[in-house]
Amino acid sequence: MPYRSTSLRLLLIVAAACLVGVAPAWGQAASSTSQGGSSGSPPRPPIDGRVTFLVNTASRKVEGLDSRRDTELATMFTFRTPDLDASGLEAGVDLRYSRYTTVDRPDRASVYDGFAGARFGSHGQFRVRAGHMWLPDLGTAGALAGGLFEYRHVPTTSDGLRFTVGGFSGVEPLVYDTGYAPGVRKSGGYVALQRGFMQRHVVGYVQIKQSGL
């Protein structure tokens, strides 16, 4: 329990740092763009942030046993800067907390995203990130707590071919809890080709090690 509470405090500090460090800089850039600071450039899209609260109640009746009602209270907090082909800072946070009314089910606090990073280059082709990241192209093997480096070729047209290559290394986070799988490290890379929004091909490789396995 002490390790879990320490991890949760650390993740909350990371989330606060993302908000304090990235949001003001993004807001100033968006404000200057909207006021005509860059002629001919479209205004930057706003930061995506929301808080969601869910209640799920289910009752069960088994023959010969007392009826039982389970209620889950879930809260989700998400914060993400838009993914742009431009240099700048970026951050993403996705925290989830669940509490149950029954005493035999412990509370759960989990982190899907909690990273900070930067894009650099004339069109933000190079990207570095550090923290908790979910790499959706790699499926269930895409949960990572570590570092990511990525290069993205920026097409000249909206329906042009985009080429992406990335590499990462870190440890295995516990997706449904705070903390990390003991002694587990992972590393790998991926290559992706994308055209517009309807065509995407990805080849990825992930190596997961635990002690001598």
Side-chain angles (χ1 to χ4, degrees), residues 166-186:
F168 57 88
S169 179
V171 299
E172 177 82 10
L174 301 177
V175 179
Y176 296 107
D177 205 343
T178 56
Y180 311 93
V184 177
R185 295 192 61 86
K186 60 169 46 176

Side-chain angles (χ1 to χ4, degrees), residues 26 45 80-85 90 119 127 129 150 152:
W26 188 272
R80 187 177 296 274
T81 54
D83 188 7
L84 300 177
D85 292 330
E90 62 178 11
R119 302 180 306 273
R127 166 184 289 168
R129 286 180 177 177
E150 185 180 84
R152 299 190 302 176

Side-chain angles (χ1 to χ4, degrees), residues 47-52 76-80 93-96:
I47 292 175
D48 179 19
R50 61 187 180 274
V51 177
T52 306
M76 292 172 285
F77 170 75
T78 58
F79 165 87
R80 187 177 296 274
V93 176
D94 188 343
L95 305 177
R96 307 185 185 188

